[in-house]
Amino acid sequence: FVAVSMTAYFMQELILEPYAGLVFGLTPGQTTSLSGIQNGGVFLGMLAVGITVSGLKIGSLRLWVFLGCFGSSLSLTAITLFAYHDFGLSISFPVAILGFCNGAFAVGAIGSMMQLAGNGILNREGTRMGLWGASQAIAAGFGGLLGTILVDLLRLYFLNPADPFALVFSFEAILFILAAFLSLKIIDSNQVLSTTQPLGVLD
């Protein structure tokens, strides 16, 4: 789950600004502002999870993980479609939504992982967190590299600059959908096992 979700999370990190410049004709300053809009969305998404889970006790981390992944997938689809259709909106709109969903997913996933670290044999919480952190770091580097390589390779075969980015964003959206359903299965399985099996069985 961590590897798949983090690969999807970071695949657009290095190609979103070139996409906005090549496809929508934005200047370097405008594409930088676009990244700022996305980061602002990330902050609001993190804030929303913090308020609803820790403050008002509405919803759950599992729900936020699923909605964050699913929403990120839909946002990436919208970012792709904006290259082919005029919706009368700026590309910054789906980018902001993507940022919000990314932020909600990130906080929900981190919170869930910290809860799940306590499941199983005692005194292995640090090892579990370390393995998940290593998986995240590897996936972050791999996701950024994979996204840029795929775009460069696909640009050799497509004349329309939007097509390579569209395929990569679509692949990323599929990974987010996969991560969404993986999160439900993983968290549900741990919750059931923790109430029906001895601690040693979990590992």
Side-chain angles (χ1 to χ4, degrees), residues 87-189:
F87 295 99
L89 296 171
S90 169
I91 186 62
S92 61
F93 178 74
V95 169
I97 301 299
L98 174 65
F100 180 89
C101 294
N102 282 174
F105 149 72
V107 173
I110 292 172
S112 298
M113 293 300 102
M114 293 184 70
Q115 286 185 349
L116 294 176
N119 285 353
I121 298 174
L122 298 178
N123 300 323
R124 293 190 181 177
E125 294 84 356
T127 301
R128 295 184 188 106
M129 293 301 296
L131 289 172
W132 291 332
S135 178
Q136 177 183 350
I138 293 171
F142 176 72
L145 182 63
L146 180 63
T148 53
I149 288 177
L150 287 178
V151 165
D152 286 346
L153 290 177
L154 291 171
R155 289 184 67 188
L156 298 175
Y157 298 97
F158 292 96
L159 295 178
N160 185 350
D163 293 340
F165 291 96
L167 289 173
V168 175
F169 288 145
S170 297
F171 177 64
E172 186 180 357
I174 293 172
L175 289 180
F176 266 123
I177 291 293
L178 176 60
F181 287 100
L182 280 175
S183 69
L184 292 180
K185 183 177 185 300
I186 290 169
I187 296 174
D188 280 346
S189 297

Side-chain angles (χ1 to χ4, degrees), residues 12-39 90-92 95 165:
Q12 52 77 34
E13 185 77 13
L14 301 177
I15 62 174
L16 185 60
E17 288 192 34
Y19 171 72
L22 290 172
V23 176
F24 298 96
L26 301 185
T27 66
Q30 290 172 325
T31 59
T32 301
S33 298
L34 193 66
S35 294
I37 292 172
Q38 182 186 6
N39 291 331
S90 169
I91 186 62
S92 61
V95 169
F165 291 96

